[in-house]
Amino acid sequence: MAAPLKLVVVSAGLGKPSSTRLLGDRLAEATRRSLDEREVAVEAHTIELRDLAVDIAHNLVTGFPPPGLRAAIDTVVSADALIVVSPIFSASYSGLFKSFFDVLDNTALIGKPVLIAATGGTARHSLALEHALRPLFAYLRATVVPTSVYVATDEWGAAAGEGVEGVGTRIARAGGELADLVAGSPPHPVTRPSSATDTVDEVVPFAEQLAALGRG
Amino acid sequence: MQFGIFTVGDVTVDPTTGREPTEHERIKAMVAIALKAEEIGMDVFATGEHHNPPFVPSSPTTMLGYIAARTERIILSTSTTLITTNDPVKIAEDYAMLQHLADGRVDLMMGRGNTGPVYPWFGQDIRQGIPLAIENYALLHELWRKEVVDWEGRFRTPLQSFTSTPRPLDGVPPFVWHGSIRSPEIAEQAAYYGDGFFANNIFWPRDHFVRLINLYRDRFEHYGHGTREQAIVGVGGQIFMRRNSQEAVREFRPYFDNAPVYGHGPSLEEFTDQTPLTVGSPQEVIDKTLTFRDSFGDYQRQLFLMDHAGLPLKTVLEQLDLFGEEVLPVLRAEFAARRPAEVPDGPTHAALVARRDAAAVPADAVPQTS
């Protein structure tokens, strides 16, 4: 039997408990259900950025990740699929969420299947997903599924309205899209450099470097 | 094994007094530190090159020429010489002149420089950093080895029938190190030429530099310059010592907490755990420095950063005295005892001349010893 697919949730929620974490868990569960139907085994991990906040700040200052953050980065980079969830603060993702992706190497997520999601006080902020998170992951050249999931506070207690899908339906659709994407991609993508201190192993022979300058 | 210091040449406020040295004081302090390094028996003094405040050493050969006149023995080097934004023709001329004046006590370390605006200030583009380092060094290498050079490249005016003067002392160019914090291309470049590779090893965890050095060693052997164990490796380090550990930590903490590069970040304890920084007793410095060999293999040059973050000159000179009395003799003996015979010692002009002469002797004239 093939190794289980590695599904990693990155949650930037700050509360304990956190509705952002809750949304991440529900999206992971929906993705797992959808992969179960295809008889694809899943191993899920969750990374709470709250626990890494100080490490992330240290990495910004020193240029290298302390051990705890290093492990989290390795988990994210080796994932087969990512679910990333941020609270919306001041019209965009939170600073903590952005800082985590800032300390990854900008090639670390190329081709990675990603589901983007966010929580916020009211539905008025929902397009931050499309205006902030989607361009961020487009820049990183990740493959983002079409459905993004935003959940406002009051939606946790609301049924589907007229012409409006309920939270559960959106979560199930997004999880299904991520499952489709990941089940169709080769398992365990090629390892790429995961942080600024991790770009050592590839070497271009010197003759090629000279030839590129017309000096071969 | 060669031991020495490398200085960044920063002008930084002493956080314990609020006093900032003048540029004049800092420049004179750098000279005093170089003279002290020779006095305590160190082998190398290396200065950085910078073209923006708060750094003073914009003109390394001027400073090193002055130090050369006031010293007898110590090797004068750089950490680093900007191969991207300096004209390689001027580097060839300046360092050959310095090499003559210092009777061969000169080598230099190539670096790209990581201050963005320096590139446009000198008419270059930082995105071309690696190609500049490769092309400029190819020209420098040729200028020191070929009497008459015809040259055409992407980054500077072509040369027709150009001779760089003075020619290197005894026809042997200064030894060159290539320093890099993160680029495998530079390790590859150093290996290709059989030059030295220097791992700064101060701000980042050691495992990162282990990988760069291993790459350099493998490629050094690949290009036929010797075995991977014979590759010429230099390593940085950063220390602060007092006779007892608690005193060292107490005194260095305000400097660490406010240091320009990593200040206001991780704690002193976290940073010493995760990077090669040692703050403690002479014995702790000895113990930690010896572990570098376990990580990097036998290497040829160990440079320490000792005069940054606003430490007053007096403190730096005390550090060097303590280093000379208690650390240097032990490290010399320990590294020498561990180094296998086939691993070369640190590069000197005399050794390079001897190697050139040995290579020039016809094979049948070499006495057979086995």
Side-chain angles (χ1 to χ4, degrees):
Chain A
M1 189 183 152
L5 288 179
K6 188 168 172 183
L7 176 64
V8 175
V9 178
V10 177
S11 166
L14 294 178
K16 291 250 179 180
S18 141
S19 60
T20 302
R21 166 70 194 258
L22 177 63
L23 177 56
D25 289 346
R26 293 205 50 193
L27 287 164
E29 194 44 45
T31 308
R32 180 199 293 277
R33 235 182 352 258
S34 190
L35 285 165
D36 278 351
E37 288 164 15
R38 297 165 173 79
E39 297 183 349
V40 174
V42 178
E43 158 200 320
H45 303 260
T46 300
I47 291 168
E48 294 248 32
L49 297 184
R50 181 188 202 287
D51 301 337
L52 298 167
V54 173
D55 276 5
I56 290 169
H58 285 174
N59 191 348
L60 292 172
V61 174
T62 63
F64 70 88
L69 176 57
R70 166 95 253 175
I73 289 172
D74 289 344
T75 301
V76 166
V77 172
S78 64
D80 295 296
L82 284 181
I83 295 169
V84 299
V85 199
S86 178
I88 299 301
F89 287 177
S90 302
S92 187
Y93 33 64
S94 74
L96 178 61
F97 180 88
K98 176 64 158 51
S99 295
F100 176 73
F101 290 100
D102 284 348
V103 300
L104 293 185
D105 188 273
N106 66 3
T107 62
L109 299 185
I110 292 174
K112 184 86 69 197
V114 174
L115 166 53
I116 57 175
T119 57
T122 77
R124 281 194 292 276
H125 303 289
S126 62
L127 281 173
L129 275 168
E130 308 306 324
H131 294 157
L133 272 82
R134 197 177 291 277
L136 170 62
F137 288 93
Y139 166 75
L140 294 170
R141 288 187 275 160
T143 306
V144 182
V145 299
T147 297
S148 57
V149 180
Y150 182 92
V151 181
T153 306
D154 60 359
E155 288 186 280
W156 292 107
E162 194 179 334
V164 179
E165 292 172 322
V167 170
T169 311
R170 276 152 31 215
I171 287 173
R173 189 172 77 236
E177 288 172 6
L178 185 61
D180 284 343
L181 187 58
V182 73
S185 22
H188 299 296
V190 185
T191 307
R192 292 200 175 79
S194 55
S195 78
T197 56
D198 191 20
T199 54
V200 171
D201 295 332
E202 294 158 37
V203 60
V204 178
F206 199 73
E208 285 178 31
Q209 298 184 37
L210 282 175
L213 293 165
R215 312 211 60 82
Chain B
M1 182 79 163
Q2 296 167 335
F3 295 90
I5 44 180
F6 60 151
T7 174
V8 180
D10 56 318
V11 175
T12 302
V13 174
D14 180 336
T16 65
T17 61
R19 189 176 182 283
E20 182 178 76
T22 65
E23 289 184 322
H24 181 73
E25 286 169 339
R26 184 69 174 107
I27 290 165
K28 292 292 191 176
M30 289 171 73
V31 172
I33 289 164
L35 301 185
K36 174 63 79 173
E38 170 156 297
E39 181 197 317
I40 64 157
M42 277 185 161
D43 308 294
V44 183
F45 171 81
T47 174
E49 177 186 332
H50 299 274
H51 299 277
N52 55 312
F55 307 104
V56 293
S58 56
S59 179
T61 54
T62 309
M63 173 174 280
L64 294 179
Y66 178 78
I67 294 170
R70 300 189 56 190
T71 51
E72 297 291 332
R73 200 185 43 74
I74 200 162
I75 295 172
L76 307 164
S77 188
T78 58
S79 56
T80 61
T81 294
L82 303 178
I83 187 61
T84 48
T85 45
N86 282 305
D87 181 357
V89 171
K90 200 72 177 82
I91 296 178
E93 294 172 342
D94 285 347
Y95 284 87
M97 176 64 84
L98 179 64
Q99 190 197 26
H100 280 273
L101 292 171
D103 298 310
R105 291 186 287 130
V106 171
D107 59 32
L108 61 168
M109 189 196 302
M110 298 299 160
R112 296 205 302 284
N114 60 5
T115 305
V118 173
Y119 287 79
W121 286 335
F122 286 79
Q124 301 296 352
D125 176 351
I126 194 169
R127 291 166 300 183
Q128 297 295 321
I130 295 261
L132 278 163
I134 290 170
E135 179 176 300
N136 285 350
Y137 184 64
L139 174 54
L140 174 61
H141 192 265
E142 192 169 331
L143 288 168
W144 275 341
R145 285 163 180 83
K146 264 176 80 177
E147 194 84 20
V148 181
V149 171
D150 294 333
W151 169 269
E152 202 179 321
R154 269 171 60 187
F155 298 113
R156 91 177 293 293
T157 314
L159 298 169
Q160 300 295 340
S161 299
F162 179 79
T163 298
S164 172
T165 62
R167 302 304 300 150
L169 178 65
D170 303 320
V172 172
F175 187 80
V176 170
W177 304 81
H178 300 265
S180 180
I181 295 178
R182 63 172 296 185
S183 302
E185 293 91 338
I186 299 303
E188 169 73 359
Q189 179 188 34
Y192 175 83
Y193 289 103
D195 292 341
F197 181 71
F198 188 87
N200 132 309
N201 193 39
I202 50 178
F203 300 130
W204 283 0
R206 197 186 297 190
D207 59 345
H208 169 75
F209 294 107
V210 168
R211 292 161 64 198
L212 271 179
I213 288 174
N214 282 337
L215 171 65
Y216 161 70
R217 288 187 183 280
D218 290 343
R219 300 299 287 177
F220 182 92
E221 181 166 306
H222 168 83
Y223 285 114
H225 301 296
T227 65
R228 63 192 305 290
E229 289 76 23
Q230 291 169 329
I232 309 296
V233 172
V235 169
Q238 191 188 358
I239 56 182
F240 186 87
M241 277 173 302
R242 287 297 180 192
R243 289 205 185 273
N244 75 64
S245 198
Q246 293 79 357
E247 201 186 330
V249 169
R250 187 185 51 74
E251 185 176 343
F252 190 60
R253 190 182 301 282
Y255 296 96
F256 177 89
D257 286 346
N258 294 286
V261 177
Y262 42 69
H264 308 287
S267 70
L268 176 59
E269 286 72 15
E270 287 168 318
F271 205 75
T272 46
D273 272 354
Q274 293 164 20
T275 76
L277 171 65
T278 315
V279 181
S281 65
Q283 190 57 46
E284 286 171 290
V285 169
I286 290 166
D287 292 344
K288 189 143 176 183
T289 306
L290 285 171
T291 68
F292 294 175
R293 180 183 169 278
D294 303 332
S295 302
F296 302 128
D298 285 293
Y299 60 105
Q300 282 72 22
R301 181 172 289 184
Q302 173 68 55
L303 299 183
F304 290 105
L305 176 65
M306 297 182 74
D307 69 330
H308 73 137
L311 286 166
L313 175 62
K314 178 169 172 291
T315 306
V316 176
L317 297 179
E318 285 165 10
Q319 293 283 303
L320 286 165
D321 278 330
L322 188 55
F323 187 89
E325 287 158 26
E326 304 213 357
V327 178
L328 185 56
V330 181
L331 284 181
R332 264 201 206 293
E334 294 289 332
F335 274 103
R338 288 164 166 80
R339 182 169 63 93
E342 64 274 17
V343 171
D345 208 343
T348 61
H349 181 71
L352 294 175
V353 169
R355 192 175 74 181
R356 189 269 318 269
D357 293 346
V361 175
D364 57 4
V366 177
Q368 298 298 310
T369 52
S370 53

